[in-house]
Every structure is written in C-alpha cells, then in structure tokens.
Amino acid sequence: MKKVIAKNQMVEVVMEEKPKIKENYLLIKTVYSVISPGTELTMIGISQDREVHLGYSAVGVVEEAGENVTGIKVGDRIACYGAPYVRHSEYLLVPKTLCSKVPDNVHTCEAALGGIGAIAIHGLRTAKLQFGEKVVVVGLGVIGQLIAQIAEAAAYEVYAYDLSRERTELLRQHSNVHCFTNTEELRTALQEGSPYPGADAVLLCAGGKHSNLTEESLKWIRDKGKVVIVGDIEPDFPRAGMFAKEAEILIARAGGPGRYDSVFEKDAIDYPYGYVRWTEGRNIGEYLRLVSEKKINVLPYVKEKVGLEQIESAYKGLINKNSPILTKIISYS
C-alpha cells in the first residue's frame, strides 16, 4: 500500500505492507485524509535524515473488524484520529477507541475532518466556559475556524481574529461571530457595550515561537480571565500582565483525554463513561453530530481534493498563511 512520509524536508510517497487486523482494532480502507498544515509543515521542516509519517485525521470504510469490536461492521464508514495509527495511507489499522461511525447524512469528506474537529472541541472544553460567556479565537486556520463555529453553536459571544482578511471572510456568513483583522479594533470592541469589559477566555490557535499574541491576549481578557493555548505557540507570558488580572493560562492537549495514553490508544481500553465523559474518541463523535445537525458548516474547508500523485505540490500550496485554502483533502479513490 502507499503512504505519505517526509524525509530530508521533502514529501514523498512510499510503499509499505498492508497491516493485519488485531482484536481491538479496525482495518480501514481510507477514502480521504486531511492535511493539517500547522502540524505537518512543522514536521516536514524537522524531518532531517529520518522518515516521518504525516497525517492524523481520516475517514474510510471498514474492511475488517477485530473480534472485540462491537457496534461496527464491515462496510461502515468510520472517522478516525490520532497518529501513529491514523496517517496519510491507503489502509489504516486503528484502535476502536479512536474511531466513530459516520452518520448517514454526513458527507464522507466532511467526516475526514473528525480528528481536527476533536482538537477544536477539546480546545473549547479546556476553556471551561459557561453559557453566555465571551470568547476570542485567535488564528483562523482550520482549527480556529471550527472553534469559532462550535463556540457560536454553543451560544457563546464569539470574537475572531486573524491578520488575513480572506480567512476572516470565511466566518462572515456566521452573523453572530464578530471578525477582526486589527488588534486595536478587537480590543476596543471587547471593552464596549458591557459593564464588565474583556473576554472570559482567549483561545490561541496561531503558531509562532516568538509571537506577541501571548502578551497581547492578556490585554483582551477580563479580571481572572483565561488564555488557552491550542496552537503551536510559545507560552511567553509576562508576569506583570498575568498578576494584574490573576490570569489563568491553560494548554489543550490535542483531541482530549486518552491522547498519548498507551492503555487507551494502543490497548484500546476505553475510560469509564461516568468518569471521563469526553475522551478523544467521543469528541470525534460529537464533531460528527454537530455536522449532522447542521450546527456547523465545514464544506468551505473541504473543496480542495488532491491525489497522491499531487502530494508534493499540495503541501507547497498550503505554506501561504493568508490563503483562504486552509487544508487539502487527499483522495485515495
């Protein structure tokens, strides 16, 4: 089977043996996988003299189900998430805890964003907002876009910021999302119209090792507000700004509880539902519910499809951070 890797800062397609089924796993024939530019372009950049697998969010059709898998049968469409099990590959062997069945009315390419949707949902959960509170989403790549839409669906007051006007335009169809490309205008809007100025939380979905957004975000939150790091941004917060508001700095770890736990992932042993409500696997299912019920619209993000023969140019086309093309869908048909 074919798979996509990075080596020596180049993207290439190589051959690998098709995996064999395991008892707690699903063998999935991939239909689509999604390129996550923020993560994957970084991985390409550090792939010096070693082979790095790319990709972590995909959808496909069950070819075989392990003997301990229940509720899923051969032929079902499945959204799945999480490296190293999910990657850009023609076949995937995925633990059952990282999979969710796709509702009939959800298009297969929409379901391919399931892993990215889980990350967006967990980022928003990490903020621990209450009904009616105010949230700022900074960085409107695909994860930031999804967070803004999900926050609007949850009836939070949503402010979205990105330097790119093209990316803010993607959200303007959502009339209750206030979009900004200028930080001063954003800060002014957060101060006006309320006796309690400032945001309850800022979610940083941008990247950058030396970004001024960390310090800037402290100016946007209210007293005892929160800043949640979702993107690959260095947490360089000045003490004075944090102390003045007794700010809370949080970081969201990928798609939710279970991530990087070998018992949950490799052994495919789920957490008890009553104790851990929203695992990374259940967050995938929640993303699919939001799409199924038309609470969010992800079709503008999945218009660009490429085949494996176009894979190198596909990544090059995602380098431009101002482009309204936020991701590309790899098709294996």
Side-chain angles (χ1 to χ4, degrees):
M1 69 175 188
K2 296 176 182 178
K3 67 175 182 179
V4 179
I5 65 161
K7 189 174 182 181
N8 292 322
Q9 300 178 332
M10 298 291 290
V11 178
E12 56 184 292
V13 177
V14 298
M15 297 298 294
E16 183 180 74
E17 189 175 331
K18 180 181 172 181
K20 293 180 171 58
I21 194 65
K22 296 181 181 179
E23 59 181 7
N24 289 320
Y25 283 63
L26 295 169
L27 179 62
I28 298 169
K29 188 178 190 308
T30 314
V31 177
Y32 298 118
S33 63
V34 178
I35 296 175
S36 177
T39 299
E40 295 182 45
L41 291 173
T42 299
M43 293 178 72
I44 293 168
I46 62 172
S47 64
Q48 204 72 25
D49 298 322
R50 64 191 182 104
E51 189 175 290
V52 177
H53 292 106
L54 299 173
Y56 62 76
S57 183
V59 64
V61 177
V62 176
E63 188 165 284
E64 273 188 87
E67 60 184 82
N68 290 340
V69 176
T70 59
I72 295 174
K73 65 183 185 301
V74 173
D76 283 345
R77 291 186 304 155
I78 296 292
C80 51
Y81 157 69
Y85 312 99
V86 180
R87 56 181 74 165
H88 300 315
S89 176
E90 290 184 300
Y91 287 89
L92 302 167
L93 185 64
V94 187
K96 61 184 182 181
T97 48
L98 301 180
C99 297
S100 188
K101 281 181 66 172
V102 180
D104 291 341
N105 68 331
V106 173
H107 195 283
T108 306
C109 64
E110 294 176 303
L113 285 166
I116 295 175
I119 293 171
I121 287 170
H122 181 61
L124 197 54
R125 292 194 198 285
T126 301
K128 298 176 182 175
L129 292 165
Q130 297 187 51
F131 178 77
E133 290 191 324
K134 189 179 297 184
V135 59
V136 177
V137 182
V138 179
L140 298 179
V142 66
I143 290 177
Q145 296 272 337
L146 288 176
I147 288 176
Q149 285 201 47
I150 295 165
E152 182 198 23
Y156 301 136
E157 191 175 344
V158 186
Y159 294 74
Y161 168 77
D162 196 290
L163 285 170
S164 167
R165 187 166 298 279
E166 289 82 358
R167 295 191 172 190
T168 59
E169 286 297 326
L170 289 172
L171 279 175
R172 292 195 187 275
Q173 61 176 302
H174 303 275
S175 58
N176 294 321
V177 177
H178 310 285
C179 297
F180 299 87
T181 57
N182 180 288
T183 56
E184 285 304 315
E185 290 177 2
L186 170 61
R187 188 176 179 185
T188 299
L190 290 169
Q191 302 298 318
E192 293 177 343
S194 170
Y196 311 104
D200 295 281
V202 173
L203 276 72
L204 294 175
C205 305
K209 296 301 180 186
H210 301 287
S211 173
N212 66 342
L213 288 173
T214 50
E215 182 173 0
E216 194 72 21
S217 64
L218 294 174
K219 301 174 185 176
W220 301 335
I221 59 172
R222 61 165 176 78
D223 189 51
K224 296 194 176 182
K226 292 168 269 193
V227 178
V228 181
I229 300 170
V230 182
D232 183 20
I233 196 167
E234 193 66 29
D236 184 18
F237 294 90
R239 182 186 182 279
M242 292 178 61
F243 181 85
K245 293 184 176 177
E246 201 171 359
E248 191 174 354
I249 310 300
L250 304 165
I251 190 162
R253 186 169 65 180
R259 192 69 184 118
Y260 308 115
D261 178 357
S262 61
V263 174
F264 182 88
E265 294 188 331
K266 184 178 180 181
D267 298 336
I269 298 175
D270 204 352
Y271 297 146
Y273 187 86
Y275 290 91
V276 185
R277 177 65 181 87
W278 292 111
T279 64
E280 53 183 328
R282 292 194 266 273
N283 279 336
I284 301 170
E286 182 63 7
Y287 161 80
L288 293 171
R289 182 187 73 85
L290 291 170
V291 175
S292 174
E293 296 181 2
K294 311 300 181 188
K295 305 289 187 184
I296 60 175
N297 176 22
V298 302
L299 286 174
Y301 314 139
V302 292
K303 291 180 177 178
E304 294 278 326
K305 296 185 179 70
V306 297
L308 289 174
E309 68 280 1
Q310 303 163 293
I311 197 67
E312 189 174 352
S313 62
Y315 279 94
K316 288 179 180 177
L318 291 168
I319 293 173
N320 181 5
K321 299 298 183 184
N322 290 317
S323 171
I325 305 301
L326 306 180
T327 183
K328 295 191 179 183
I329 308 296
I330 302 172
S331 173
Y332 297 84
S333 60

